[in-house]
Amino acid sequence: WLEWLRDERQLASGAEELAELRRLHAQACRLCPTTPLWLARIDALRSDAGDTQEGDVRKLDTKRVEELRAVFEEGLDVLGFHPTHGPELWAAYRDFETALMDAAAAAGEAEAG
């Protein structure tokens, strides 16, 4: 799955192709629920929004943040209690939320300063 999704991601260029790639990621996560697939799905959503740098969430709009949260929550519903896959997904979600809080704090400081 991961190799196929990577290949499709490199070929996707238009909005319709990116939407199809999101559908493929969702299908892969349903059929083969593993942390690498869920994280690949999340990474694809983040890079589609311009968040290509790890932890750089400043480019994400509110709609994309909510979409990412929904995907994290969906993944945690499936894998959250799994002894090996769950902690990886929880850690990624925690890092995402921490990055959002740090970006909000930095924006607040910039406005105040």
Side-chain angles (χ1 to χ4, degrees):
W1 277 106
L2 283 173
E3 189 174 322
W4 181 37
L5 290 168
R6 276 189 223 111
D7 290 344
E8 291 295 326
R9 188 173 179 185
Q10 290 175 348
L11 297 172
S13 58
E16 188 175 306
E17 291 171 336
L18 290 172
E20 178 61 26
L21 182 60
R22 284 191 290 275
R23 285 190 291 276
L24 286 174
H25 273 281
Q27 181 178 7
C29 289
R30 276 191 307 276
L31 296 175
C32 185
T34 63
T35 302
L37 283 173
W38 281 99
L39 293 177
R41 182 178 177 190
I42 291 162
D43 287 342
L45 280 173
R46 289 179 75 162
S47 66
D48 290 352
D51 178 20
T52 56
Q53 189 176 35
E54 181 67 28
D56 184 12
V57 296
R58 293 170 291 183
K59 297 177 184 175
L60 298 176
D61 61 13
T62 304
K63 180 180 176 184
R64 186 55 57 105
V65 168
E66 292 305 318
E67 187 177 2
L68 282 161
R69 283 180 175 146
V71 172
F72 271 116
E73 294 290 335
E74 185 181 349
L76 289 170
D77 284 346
V78 175
L79 296 172
F81 291 113
H82 191 279
T84 57
H85 294 293
E88 282 184 79
L89 199 53
W90 279 109
Y93 195 13
R94 181 190 63 233
D95 293 344
F96 173 70
E97 290 293 338
T98 300
L100 286 174
M101 289 189 320
D102 291 346
E109 289 174 9
E111 287 180 13

